[in-house]
Amino acid sequence: MAAEGHAPSAGEYITHHLQHLQKNFSFESVKQKDIVDFSLFNLDSVFFSVVLGALGCFLLWRAARKATSGVPGRFQAAVEILSEMVENQAKGVIHNAKSRKLVSPLALTVFVWIFLMNAMDMLPVDLIPAIWHSAGPALGFKDYMRVVPTADLSTTLGLSTSVLLICFFYNIKIKGLGGWGHELISAPFGAHPALWPFNFAMQVIEFVAKTVSHGMRLFGNMFAGELVFMLIALMGGAFAMTATGIGLAIGHIIAGTVWTLFHILVITLQAFIFMMLTLIYIGQAHDAH
């Protein structure tokens, strides 16, 4: 918050809300200075990711445990529709039935988990940070708290890197270590020894590009959505502080409502896109060049 006791400016407000609760591996409060810094982690992103992941698994487990062969309830029907949708998408991309026994539940889990993390953006911007403003410093933590894990690049790149490792696993499992190694140096230009360095370089570039774009796409959309919600909140804040300009209050309500309704589509679509790219990349690991 503003250091001198005055109300924060718009820039200070946004800067504060974009700062993570960061810790080093000695659990000391630190602040990231470089674009890439592996000496620290964002505690808020880790906490909400783990909690929402556990919640998603619990909901899916509860649906499976309560499933009946009769007329399903609304919750069971929703999970069945979602599961069938994911399975149909998996069948269209991954033709190995044995692989789908693992990949389909994985894709379903990815969709639910990312949807829940994205949905945190629907909470009022200052709700949880305001609670943390009182509780955090009292517990010895910095007064920073961001609640949308997918608006954190470390979270989305962590997810996309996990997908990359799964692709490596299936490349080796389906093609064998030797077969995949041969593919790395013989595709896409051919198996002539003079082309091996170029083939390998192209393969590395492809894996890196897919992984980075996979994570950046989700991060970019969710970061932009979070930023728009902050700007809308500033409209209401400006009206509350000045008690003038009724247009700000009306604009705040209209813009907030419209953007919230639109954002329901965004958070669902981004979860679906990430899930589909996961299936596509794993499917490509099954295909021989």
Side-chain angles (χ1 to χ4, degrees), residues 221-240:
N221 281 278
M222 297 313 302
F223 182 86
E226 184 182 35
L227 193 57
V228 171
F229 274 122
M230 292 180 189
L231 294 173
I232 293 173
L234 283 172
M235 295 173 63
F239 170 75

Side-chain angles (χ1 to χ4, degrees), residues 20-38:
H20 286 281
L21 176 61
Q22 296 179 323
K23 297 285 183 179
N24 61 20
F25 291 95
S26 298
F27 217 68
E28 298 169 334
S29 295
V30 292
K31 193 169 184 179
Q32 185 173 344
K33 297 180 180 179
D34 300 319
I35 296 177
V36 178
D37 190 345
F38 293 107

Side-chain angles (χ1 to χ4, degrees), residues 75-95:
F75 178 62
Q76 180 183 334
V79 174
E80 287 179 355
I81 291 171
L82 182 60
S83 301
E84 185 177 356
M85 181 271 293
V86 174
E87 180 65 24
N88 289 337
Q89 297 296 333
K91 287 180 180 178
V93 177
I94 302 171
H95 306 296

Side-chain angles (χ1 to χ4, degrees), residues 89-125:
Q89 297 296 333
K91 287 180 180 178
V93 177
I94 302 171
H95 306 296
N96 187 315
K98 187 175 181 181
S99 294
R100 288 200 304 272
K101 291 182 179 179
L102 173 63
V103 176
S104 293
L106 172 66
L108 176 62
T109 304
V110 165
F111 177 84
V112 173
W113 189 18
I114 293 180
F115 175 82
L116 290 174
M117 289 192 288
N118 290 351
M120 294 295 287
D121 214 5
M122 308 295 287
L123 294 176
V125 171

Side-chain angles (χ1 to χ4, degrees), residues 13 17 48 120 122-134 145 147 233:
Y13 175 85
H17 278 65
F48 286 110
M120 294 295 287
M122 308 295 287
L123 294 176
V125 171
D126 288 302
L127 176 60
I128 295 180
I131 298 172
W132 187 248
H133 177 62
S134 300
M145 178 60 64
V147 301

Side-chain angles (χ1 to χ4, degrees), residues 18 20 45 117-118 121 146-156 218-227:
L18 291 179
H20 286 281
S45 294
M117 289 192 288
N118 290 351
D121 214 5
R146 290 183 67 181
V147 301
V148 187
T150 45
D152 178 5
L153 187 57
S154 62
T155 300
T156 58
L218 177 59
F219 161 74
N221 281 278
M222 297 313 302
F223 182 86
E226 184 182 35
L227 193 57

